[in-house]
């Protein structure tokens, strides 16, 4: 029911401050070459690549998302507390790291210099942080888990943490996604016009 969904949407809406925090957290996909091979031509019959067909729809059908009303969380006292929150909730927060540097063997670091709201004495390659005396960036729990996997640091602190319950996309939306995906797959090479429209509709759900 559209009226019921509208009411639910109103209950989950963000305040202006919450919206700004989430908007600053947003970043696109990581599309970089390894800095170890920058300005180098590699010729090898062992090079491979992978492509994921309709990755966005798959994520919309299978993954969890923030649902319900967002809530401000109080002070995060320890790294363990932060880890537990990031394992249970969808989180958006301001993260500050001191003496941060990539771990040995990491070839595609994930912290973009352009998204840091503060940084001191940084070293970056391909736009990504390799080292910094200190940096501050707004992240979600998924970003944080990648940062911990890729970087070492001396201390961390958290400010302005917003938490959401985790849940699935609404069933009606998942049904729409599946219908567009099915049309895209069955119409390819059969009806170019309807195929293009179905593909556009499928891609538009992301927005």
């Amino acid at each position: 029911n559209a009226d019921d969904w509208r009411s639910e949407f109103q209950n989950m809406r963000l305040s202006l401050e919450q919206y700004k925090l989430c908007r600053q957290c947003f970043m696109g996909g990581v599309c970089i070459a390894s800095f170890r091979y920058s300005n180098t031509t590699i010729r090898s019959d062992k090079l491979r690549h992978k492509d994921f067909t309709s990755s966005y729809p798959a994520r919309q059908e299978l993954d969890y998302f923030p649902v319900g009303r967002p809530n401000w969380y109080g002070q995060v006292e320890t790294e363990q507390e932060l880890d537990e929150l990031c394992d249970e909730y969808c989180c958006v927060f301001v993260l500050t790291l001191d003496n941060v540097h990539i771990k040995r063997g990491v070839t595609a670091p994930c912290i973009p210099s352009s998204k840091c709201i503060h940084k001191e004495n940084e070293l970056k390659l391909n736009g990504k942080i390799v080292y910094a005396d200190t940096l501050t960036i707004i992240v979600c729990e998924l970003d944080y888990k990648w940062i911990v996997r890729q970087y070492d640091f001396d201390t961390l602190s958290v400010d302005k943490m917003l938490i959401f319950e985790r849940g699935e996309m609404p069933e009606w939306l998942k049904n729409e996604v599946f219908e567009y995906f099915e049309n895209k797959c069955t119409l390819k090479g059969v009806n170019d016009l309807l195929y293009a429209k179905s593909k556009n509709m499928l891609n538009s759900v992301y927005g």
Side-chain angles (χ1 to χ4, degrees):
N1 185 293
D3 290 337
D4 290 343
W5 172 244
R6 179 65 181 173
S7 176
E8 188 174 349
F9 175 81
Q10 292 285 0
N11 289 333
M12 294 189 294
R13 66 181 177 180
L14 305 172
S15 68
L16 179 59
E17 183 180 6
Q18 291 167 344
Y19 169 78
K20 288 181 177 179
L21 188 71
C22 291
R23 187 67 186 85
Q24 286 180 283
C25 175
F26 179 83
M27 65 180 79
V30 178
C31 301
I32 62 170
S34 168
F35 66 84
R36 297 181 186 275
Y37 302 104
S38 293
N39 300 315
T40 302
T41 300
I42 302 174
R43 303 184 187 280
S44 171
D45 59 359
K46 297 181 180 180
L47 292 176
R48 299 289 185 270
H49 76 278
K50 289 185 179 181
D51 185 27
F52 294 93
T53 300
S54 299
S55 181
Y56 284 157
R59 303 281 61 83
Q60 290 160 355
E61 293 284 340
L62 300 172
D63 288 351
Y64 69 78
F65 292 87
V67 298
R69 183 182 292 275
N71 292 293
W72 292 109
Y73 188 81
Q75 185 68 32
V76 177
E77 300 290 346
T78 65
E79 192 171 336
Q80 180 182 349
E81 182 182 4
L82 177 59
D83 290 341
E84 291 172 354
L85 288 167
C86 288
D87 284 339
E88 183 174 355
Y89 298 100
C90 291
C91 307
V92 178
F93 53 95
V94 180
L95 175 68
T96 297
L97 303 173
D98 295 316
N99 190 24
V100 53
H101 51 277
I102 60 169
K103 295 180 179 179
R104 184 178 180 83
V106 173
T107 60
C110 64
I111 300 180
S113 174
S114 62
K115 295 296 293 186
C116 294
I117 57 178
H118 176 75
K119 60 209 171 188
E120 295 178 10
N121 193 26
E122 66 166 342
L123 171 64
K124 62 181 179 180
L125 289 170
N126 285 353
K128 306 296 184 179
I129 297 290
V130 174
Y131 170 85
D133 283 347
T134 184
L135 67 81
T136 300
I137 186 171
I138 298 172
V139 297
C140 69
E141 81 282 0
L142 302 176
D143 301 321
Y144 170 70
K145 289 179 179 181
W146 270 107
I147 289 171
V148 170
R149 188 180 301 178
Q150 292 195 333
Y151 291 86
D152 289 319
F153 47 85
D154 286 348
T155 60
L156 68 78
S157 61
V158 172
D159 189 28
K160 292 186 177 179
M161 171 171 272
L162 195 60
I163 62 172
F164 303 77
E165 294 291 340
R166 291 181 180 180
E168 297 182 359
M169 286 283 197
E171 198 64 31
W172 63 266
L173 181 58
K174 292 172 70 174
N175 291 339
E176 289 288 319
V177 169
F178 189 80
E179 181 180 345
Y180 296 148
F181 176 72
E182 185 176 36
N183 289 341
K184 174 194 158 186
C185 292
T186 56
L187 293 170
K188 188 172 184 179
V190 177
N191 187 315
D192 290 343
L193 177 60
L194 292 180
Y195 164 76
K197 287 190 172 184
S198 296
K199 184 176 181 179
N200 288 340
M201 292 294 287
L202 184 64
N203 292 339
S204 73
V205 177
Y206 168 77

